[in-house]
Amino acid sequence: MKNKVVLITGASKGIGRNIAKSLAIEGYTIIANYNNSEKLAMELKEELKKDEIDIEIFKADVSKKEESQRLVNYCLEKYGKIDILVNNAGIAQSKLFTDITYEEFDNIMKTNVYSAFFITQEVARNMINNKSGCIINISSIWGLVGASCEVHYSMTKAAIDGMTKSLAKELGLSNIRVNSVAPGCIQTDMTKNLSEEDWKGILEESALYKKGKPEDITRCVKWLIEDEFTTGQVISPNGGLVI
Ligand code: NAP
């Protein structure tokens, strides 16, 4: 795996961090993007270094096109290629639809959708030249079924799934696979404000009665990296919350 280069956005915490760590341990070359959580990104690098595993960490606000370009340019100048792209960086917000401001809508669109669009555009040019690639977009169950008080968030995730399906059709002949992973409720900072009562409600709706962990998503991402016959799909590890 040493020669496979993986770019993961939003890898300082939660799901992205777990994907980065797990793939690094398997021998992939990792560029782990972060924005605000520099300390956490440094800690991940140091933790892996103890096992003689070296990963790159790279600060870029992927909601900004020029920073996304800087991130991809860095990877391509250093490694000459990106084999696997995981568009994971994202933010969420819980708010009544009628109270969402223009700025909040703009910010969530830029962070969750523009980031994936522009990074993928830059990376796809390289993958097309190489006639090989794997793109994994982290969306959400809420993009599939909609979430009350998260209309803007749900919209961004539905948009990501639309990108997955269209791109899979456009890039298939270049031997590039594009899939979405749509997690259910996963224990990360994004869900830290859920109360025990909230979790109880979620578990009661879930066939497996289990709280999701970042590694539940990582396993699915790893499978999609290895599988060679799956493209354009939205796969949802969600503990049976949405069936
Ligand atoms: P998290 O723990 O809050 O981590 C979010 C990550 O995204 C952080 O590493 C953060 O980096 C990064 N990020 C946010 N804005 C960024 C920006 N502008 N530029 C670069 N990086 C940025 O959340 P998570 O639960 O792991 O979520 C990861 C993905 O899974 C998101 O797309 C989320 O929508 C999706 N998801 C999560 C759940 C869940 O229940 N947790 C469910 C469905 C889908 P910094 O802290 O360094 O800024």
Side-chain angles (χ1 to χ4, degrees), residues 9-16 33-38 60-63 88-91 111-112 138-141 153 157 182-191:
T9 65
S12 52
K13 297 195 286 193
I15 294 169
N33 156 252
Y34 66 96
N35 186 29
N36 293 316
S37 307
E38 182 145 74
D61 177 352
V62 297
S63 69
N88 165 79
I91 53 169
T111 309
N112 294 6
I138 306 298
S139 58
S140 168
I141 42 166
Y153 178 75
K157 296 305 185 176
C185 291
I186 309 299
Q187 292 174 285
T188 67
D189 277 6
M190 192 172 273
T191 52

Side-chain angles (χ1 to χ4, degrees), residues 168-184:
K169 289 184 178 176
E170 188 167 325
L171 300 182
L173 284 179
S174 296
N175 190 32
I176 299 166
R177 292 176 291 109
V178 190
N179 291 287
S180 281
V181 174

Side-chain angles (χ1 to χ4, degrees), residues 65-214:
K65 186 174 189 276
E66 55 290 1
E67 294 212 19
S68 295
Q69 258 165 345
R70 200 167 51 77
L71 169 65
V72 176
N73 286 346
Y74 173 80
C75 299
L76 293 179
E77 276 163 25
K78 179 138 191 191
Y79 298 102
K81 62 168 187 170
I82 293 168
D83 297 291
I84 297 150
L85 168 65
V86 184
N87 285 310
N88 165 79
I91 53 169
Q93 185 187 34
S94 183
K95 207 164 181 184
L96 280 176
F97 175 63
T98 45
D99 289 346
I100 296 167
T101 65
Y102 180 88
E103 288 70 27
E104 287 165 342
F105 180 75
D106 193 44
N107 186 34
I108 205 165
M109 285 297 286
K110 285 187 171 140
T111 309
N112 294 6
V113 180
Y114 284 32
S115 66
F117 184 92
F118 290 114
I119 289 178
T120 304
Q121 209 173 36
E122 297 291 327
V123 171
R125 295 190 181 104
N126 176 264
M127 289 180 168
I128 290 165
N129 281 339
N130 294 339
K131 286 256 176 293
S132 171
C134 172
I135 299 166
I136 297 171
N137 297 318
I138 306 298
S139 58
S140 168
I141 42 166
W142 305 128
L144 295 170
V145 297
S148 166
C149 295
E150 292 192 65
V151 171
H152 51 349
Y153 178 75
S154 305
M155 282 173 73
T156 65
K157 296 305 185 176
I160 288 293
D161 290 343
M163 182 173 110
T164 290
K165 292 172 195 175
S166 318
L167 257 187
K169 289 184 178 176
E170 188 167 325
L171 300 182
L173 284 179
S174 296
N175 190 32
I176 299 166
R177 292 176 291 109
V178 190
N179 291 287
S180 281
V181 174
C185 291
I186 309 299
Q187 292 174 285
T188 67
D189 277 6
M190 192 172 273
T191 52
K192 70 178 178 214
N193 291 332
L194 290 176
S195 63
E196 271 315 306
E197 192 69 10
D198 294 332
W199 274 111
K200 193 166 171 279
I202 291 163
L203 292 178
E204 278 167 2
E205 293 286 317
S206 303
L208 293 177
Y209 207 90
K210 260 188 200 170
K211 288 184 184 176
K213 301 193 193 79

